[in-house]
Amino acid sequence: MQITLYKIGNDICAEHKVPFEVLFPLIKETASKIESLSPEKAQTGPAVRKDKKTIKNHLDLLNINQQEIYQLLTKSIQNSVD
């Protein structure tokens, strides 16, 4: 599944003419967090904060298929931290 999410990130970057490599620091930071924190404690972002404004802004930037995946993952994250 992780490779699929990287592909989606790459597709979004390509669509907006942004090199995928700009995501490498975020990808590396996320992976390194798991060495010292549980996945639940390492999870951050608008889903954890229940930041509806940011979630809506993200959804507005995505195509319909990407929106479905984003919403599914957001709901899963929120259910795991409740």
Side-chain angles (χ1 to χ4, degrees):
M1 180 168 74
Q2 193 170 1
I3 297 299
T4 298
L5 295 177
Y6 292 155
K7 183 196 177 307
I8 292 169
N10 187 60
D11 292 347
I12 292 168
C13 286
E15 180 181 339
H16 295 280
K17 297 179 179 34
V18 174
F20 179 67
E21 292 78 12
V22 300
L23 298 179
F24 288 178
L26 177 62
I27 292 167
K28 288 176 183 176
E29 178 187 343
T30 302
S32 71
K33 278 184 181 181
I34 299 304
E35 294 177 12
S36 60
L37 297 171
S38 69
E40 185 176 308
K41 292 193 186 300
Q43 182 69 59
T44 62
V48 172
R49 297 190 307 270
K50 297 187 178 173
D51 180 349
K52 292 179 183 179
K53 182 178 178 186
T54 299
I55 291 169
K56 183 188 179 321
N57 288 341
H58 289 171
L59 288 168
D60 289 345
L61 296 170
L62 303 174
N63 69 37
I64 191 74
N65 293 332
Q66 294 163 349
Q67 288 175 357
E68 288 180 40
I69 294 166
Y70 186 99
Q71 289 171 321
L72 256 168
L73 291 172
T74 297
K75 184 175 182 177
S76 177
I77 291 165
Q78 290 175 340
N79 288 340
S80 71
V81 296
D82 280 344

